[in-house]
Amino acid sequence: MDYEVLRKRMVEEQLIPRGIKNKKVIDAFYKVERHKFIPEDLRASAYADFPVPILEGQTISQPYIVALMTECLELTGQEKVLEIGTGSGYQAAILAELTKEVYSIERFESLSKNTQEILKGLGYSNIKIKVGDGTLGWPEFAPFDRIIVTAATPKVPLPLTEQLKESGKLVLPLGESFSQVLTVIEKKKDGFESIEICGCVFVPLVGKYGWQDKNA
Ligand code: SAM
């Protein structure tokens, strides 16, 4: 299978026609080898226009959604970014191409271990990963310029807003179990401003400030 051709097609048929414009974001999608983040038996679908299953019943998000969330972060290259939901590591790799420091938290240890091996094998040295409940953020490295949550939550986890810098942005899917709105929240001096981007469907964010385990 010629993954390079499939990757080029993914960018030119799924991302650009739907409005992804940021040149650096587009270049990152041309570059990062998405198939390497996907279990071998499912690699034929690596560049398809839908989410693909990974370990622990989780998913790697549809390429367009990864691109849209990345574009919403408006990275300049200097930001410290926190990702909640490492999953396959693909989003973390895209972020690592676009900024200098990436921190990522995953609740499943087996998934995190596998992903750390993949990212190490690909030579990423600016991504720090830990296992834990990402709804608590990562206080040790806070504050963050940007936070991206790649799992669905009924409400904005309070620790994440506290660990966001002023003028920082938080991108997350907010809503019910099977239907959310991709939302961008900006922290202002005197409060928060929120913009709704589009409807989306993510696996649940399970943790103290997300869904409780019984809803997962
Ligand atoms: N960003 C991922 C990627 O590029 O593959 C997609 C992740 S998948 C849609 C969502 C991930 O969030 C799952 O791996 C899931 O285990 C994780 N997750 C759910 N709740 C979490 C929590 N409280 N803390 C950390 N990770 C969590």
Side-chain angles (χ1 to χ4, degrees):
M1 204 163 308
D2 191 338
Y3 290 119
E4 203 174 331
V5 170
L6 294 178
R7 196 156 57 249
K8 192 165 179 290
R9 247 190 239 157
M10 169 190 79
V11 172
E12 290 164 13
E13 293 175 9
Q14 300 172 36
L15 309 192
I16 296 172
R18 288 187 180 130
I20 300 299
K21 287 189 181 66
N22 184 306
K23 165 103 174 56
K24 287 186 180 159
V25 172
I26 290 170
D27 285 347
F29 279 80
Y30 274 127
K31 179 174 172 191
V32 178
E33 296 173 295
R34 184 172 160 97
H35 61 280
K36 298 211 167 144
F37 297 85
I38 287 182
E40 277 188 38
D41 55 332
L42 295 173
R43 283 190 180 172
S45 301
Y47 295 94
D49 195 13
F50 48 76
V52 177
I54 51 172
L55 301 177
E56 301 287 1
Q58 303 304 312
T59 53
I60 174 172
S61 304
Q62 178 193 20
Y64 169 64
I65 286 290
V66 182
L68 183 61
M69 291 178 89
T70 306
E71 202 168 63
C72 286
L73 290 172
E74 295 183 29
L75 298 170
T76 65
Q78 295 309 309
E79 293 82 7
K80 195 201 296 188
V81 180
L82 174 66
E83 178 195 25
I84 311 303
T86 316
S88 70
Y90 178 64
Q91 173 79 74
I94 292 283
L95 295 172
E97 293 289 337
L98 295 165
T99 196
K100 62 173 189 192
E101 278 174 83
V102 180
Y103 296 81
S104 186
I105 309 175
E106 170 56 50
R107 69 185 273 258
F108 287 109
E109 188 165 4
S110 58
L111 191 48
S112 181
K113 231 173 156 183
N114 185 63
T115 298
Q116 286 185 54
E117 273 168 31
I118 295 170
L119 290 167
K120 199 171 154 208
L122 292 171
Y124 287 102
S125 57
N126 58 341
I127 307 174
K128 203 169 171 63
I129 290 180
K130 80 162 182 176
V131 177
D133 177 4
T135 68
L136 304 174
W138 200 335
E140 197 186 338
F141 293 104
F144 298 95
D145 301 289
R146 302 286 187 267
I147 301 179
I148 174 170
V149 182
T150 65
T153 175
K155 54 187 187 303
V156 183
L158 184 65
L160 301 186
T161 56
E162 289 170 348
Q163 291 174 32
L164 187 63
K165 269 189 199 164
E166 195 181 310
S167 301
K169 285 182 200 298
L170 166 61
V171 176
L172 80 175
L174 263 185
E176 300 308 315
S177 297
F178 298 104
S179 152
Q180 306 95 36
V181 176
L182 186 62
T183 307
V184 179
I185 295 173
E186 189 171 345
K187 189 169 185 173
K188 303 276 193 189
K189 216 183 187 131
D190 48 1
F192 293 90
E193 211 173 85
S194 141
I195 304 172
E196 295 188 345
I197 305 295
C198 64
C200 57
V201 183
F202 277 79
V203 295
L205 181 75
V206 179
K208 185 170 178 194
Y209 294 90
W211 293 102
Q212 302 309 299
D213 239 330
K214 62 181 163 50
N215 297 104

